[in-house]
Amino acid sequence: MPDWTRMSSLFDFCAVYYTTQLVRCAAFSFVLTGLVMLLRRTVSRKRTFFRGMLWSFFLLLPFLGRLKLFYENEAVLNATWRLTAVTMSWLWADRLYMAGILAVFVCIFGKRLRLRRLVAGMERVSLSGIRVSVMDMKVTPFTAGLLKPRIVIPRVMLKSYGREEVMAVVQHEQTHIRLGHLWFGLVWDILRCLLWINPFLTIFQKQFRADMEDICDRVCIQKSGRTAQEYGMVLLKTLKLLHSEPERMPSAVTFAGEREFADIKRRMKGIAGFRPYRRGRCAGMAAAAVLLLSAMLSAIHTHSYARCNESKDIMVGAYAGKPEIVSYNTAELCRMISYDDSYVYVEREAFEDFLEENNADGEIWIVFGGFYKLPGLAGMAESCIYEGGSKDRIVRIPYESIMDDWYLELIQLL
């Protein structure tokens, strides 16, 4: 039968370990959100592609929780130690955070699942060799699915539009697919789940999707060969034709999703001011962004704790009715104690003088090695008992490692 006590302990450890990291990532997300919104309104206000690339820096957030600066940088330590103390000490807070992730996940991805089931039951037709799904409701055209995306067009649009107008709509959705916007949306939703305590990730989702739309508009206009005016007229006709409440549709809706006047005005203004762009320059910007993100991820990895860190600390304790720490000065103890995979080696005279100086009585324990996940969190060490009376200069103490236990091996992998 499964050891439910250890399983419960494992779940509690996961709650503490991951909440500690995610809360730190959430703290960074507040700063990054403010910075991105500031840049959108200033230096990148008229630079559509650069404005869209700013959102790629959110990809760094999930990897920031194990940074060493949380322990080594005084300013960051002073700003975040209270958060760390709460997540490492209050198990109920960690469980609450995990429950929040689950609740947001069910809410967001439940909508995605319902949308997938809805699209799967729709009629499919071929438009110039392109298979699209037809919906009877008056909805904005959208694309659902990741590995096998399906473009959905309302039936009223197929009846009211000419062939070129319908293909303009289909081309827009295909551009979203080619540019990877559906995957970007998935990543954004995952971030909203993991960092749910930052409400701005949901509030500014509108701006995120607006920037994806602006990029898609520019690419479509240039690749279609149509003028910006012709493209804008198709959008205006779509907005006039469809009259559905926006909140009734899932977040996967793309093309004509903006209903508010300010959003329509913004998008039409961008289309009206369209100027051809240089593809080579945009490709260079994308390559530079990828290189920059790769370099930053590498720097984050270099300056972060590993998933499992070898502990080289040594501690000596005594038990004479109650446990007592004699010393955890690793530098001092290393001069008297060493170890390998099978034995602990103790320099007898120096160690016994050390015990006498520290008035250590009773059963003497030596704790050494092992691993830790983060400083002060989820560590495990080897141990042995020192028995006096030996005449050898170096006392060799055998011990059996506890690291082969499945529970500890699993903790190391997490």
Side-chain angles (χ1 to χ4, degrees):
M1 294 183 63
D3 189 337
W4 295 112
T5 300
R6 300 190 82 186
M7 292 299 294
S8 175
S9 176
L10 180 63
F11 290 142
D12 288 342
F13 158 72
C14 289
V16 176
Y17 180 56
Y18 289 113
T19 299
T20 298
Q21 295 182 61
L22 291 173
V23 167
R24 292 169 175 173
C25 295
F28 274 108
S29 73
F30 281 96
V31 178
L32 182 58
T33 302
L35 180 61
V36 168
M37 296 306 296
L38 176 63
L39 292 175
R40 285 183 77 256
R41 290 180 173 274
T42 54
V43 297
S44 64
R45 187 173 183 177
K46 296 183 179 180
R47 295 176 174 86
T48 303
F49 292 103
F50 181 71
R51 195 168 65 243
M53 289 178 185
L54 289 174
W55 299 100
S56 64
F57 289 100
F58 283 87
L59 294 172
L60 302 173
L61 287 176
F63 305 98
L64 301 177
R66 297 198 303 261
L67 282 173
K68 294 180 180 178
L69 61 82
F70 285 108
Y71 302 91
E72 299 175 359
N73 184 284
E74 185 175 354
V76 176
L77 180 62
N78 290 335
T80 62
W81 73 267
R82 289 183 177 85
L83 288 176
T84 300
V86 169
T87 57
M88 287 189 177
S89 304
W90 296 1
L91 184 56
W92 65 267
D94 304 317
R95 291 171 175 170
L96 180 62
Y97 192 94
M98 291 293 110
I101 292 178
L102 180 61
V104 176
F105 179 88
V106 170
C107 181
I108 292 176
F109 287 90
K111 292 181 180 179
R112 283 177 168 266
L113 182 59
R114 289 193 295 272
L115 175 64
R116 180 181 176 182
R117 290 174 177 173
L118 178 64
V119 173
M122 293 180 185
E123 175 190 353
R124 302 194 71 186
V125 299
S126 178
L127 299 176
S128 299
I130 302 172
R131 300 281 289 176
V132 300
S133 298
V134 181
M135 194 174 200
D136 292 326
M137 294 173 59
K138 286 186 176 182
V139 298
T140 57
F142 64 93
T143 303
L146 295 170
L147 299 178
K148 294 181 179 180
R150 287 189 178 187
I151 298 173
V152 179
I153 304 291
R155 193 179 300 278
V156 64
M157 185 175 289
L158 294 179
K159 293 179 179 180
S160 303
Y161 276 26
R163 179 181 176 280
E164 289 189 0
E165 292 174 325
V166 173
M167 292 311 298
V169 174
V170 172
Q171 180 198 27
H172 184 99
E173 297 304 326
Q174 287 183 314
T175 302
H176 275 302
I177 296 171
R178 284 195 294 266
L179 293 178
H181 290 175
L182 300 179
W183 290 96
F184 297 161
L186 173 66
V187 172
W188 189 262
D189 283 343
I190 292 174
L191 285 175
R192 289 171 60 200
C193 292
L194 296 178
L195 310 179
W196 62 269
I197 58 172
N198 182 355
F200 295 113
L201 294 178
T202 297
I203 293 172
F204 294 136
Q205 179 181 213
K206 182 179 179 180
Q207 283 75 11
F208 165 73
R209 296 188 182 280
D211 287 344
M212 298 301 103
E213 287 294 339
D214 290 345
I215 290 173
C216 194
D217 285 339
R218 295 204 66 187
V219 173
C220 282
I221 293 172
Q222 181 142 324
K223 293 191 69 174
S224 68
R226 300 182 182 89
T227 65
Q229 181 181 6
E230 292 172 334
Y231 185 87
M233 290 304 296
V234 175
L235 175 60
L236 285 176
K237 186 174 181 179
T238 301
L239 293 171
K240 183 178 180 180
L241 180 67
L242 303 176
H243 301 283
S244 58
E245 293 298 326
E247 63 269 15
R248 292 179 182 176
M249 287 308 301
S251 60
V253 173
T254 53
F255 189 63
E258 296 92 351
R259 289 290 191 268
E260 298 177 5
F261 176 77
D263 288 334
I264 298 173
K265 182 179 178 181
R266 173 199 57 77
R267 192 170 173 190
M268 292 304 300
K269 184 178 180 181
I271 294 173
F274 171 78
R275 296 291 184 274
Y277 59 87
R278 296 180 182 179
R279 296 182 182 179
R281 178 180 294 180
C282 291
M285 288 176 58
V290 171
L291 290 175
L292 178 60
L293 286 174
S294 299
M296 295 179 72
L297 283 172
S298 178
I300 290 171
H301 176 75
T302 301
H303 295 89
S304 295
Y305 290 99
R307 286 185 302 172
C308 182
N309 304 274
E310 180 184 2
S311 175
K312 297 182 179 179
D313 292 341
I314 300 177
M315 184 186 74
V316 173
Y319 184 83
K322 63 177 181 178
E324 179 183 354
I325 296 176
V326 177
S327 175
Y328 48 83
N329 187 332
T330 299
E332 178 184 12
L333 294 174
C334 279
R335 292 193 288 268
M336 300 175 282
I337 302 171
S338 61
Y339 56 89
D340 57 26
D341 294 337
S342 302
Y343 295 94
V344 176
Y345 305 94
V346 180
E347 188 175 333
R348 180 177 57 82
E349 291 187 5
F351 187 65
E352 292 185 352
D353 289 343
F354 162 81
L355 294 176
E356 184 177 350
E357 291 173 2
N358 287 275
N359 299 316
D361 297 320
E363 194 174 66
I364 303 299
W365 284 83
I366 300 175
V367 181
F368 57 93
F371 70 91
Y372 64 94
K373 301 293 287 183
L374 290 172
L377 175 64
M380 190 62 64
E382 308 282 9
S383 64
C384 68
I385 299 176
Y386 177 81
E387 297 181 356
S390 174
K391 301 300 183 182
D392 298 331
R393 186 179 68 85
I394 302 295
V395 178
R396 189 174 70 170
I397 308 170
Y399 72 95
E400 293 185 7
S401 176
I402 62 173
M403 297 302 164
D404 293 333
D405 186 282
W406 68 267
Y407 178 81
L408 297 179
E409 289 179 349
L410 186 55
I411 286 180
Q412 292 180 64
L413 290 174
L414 291 174

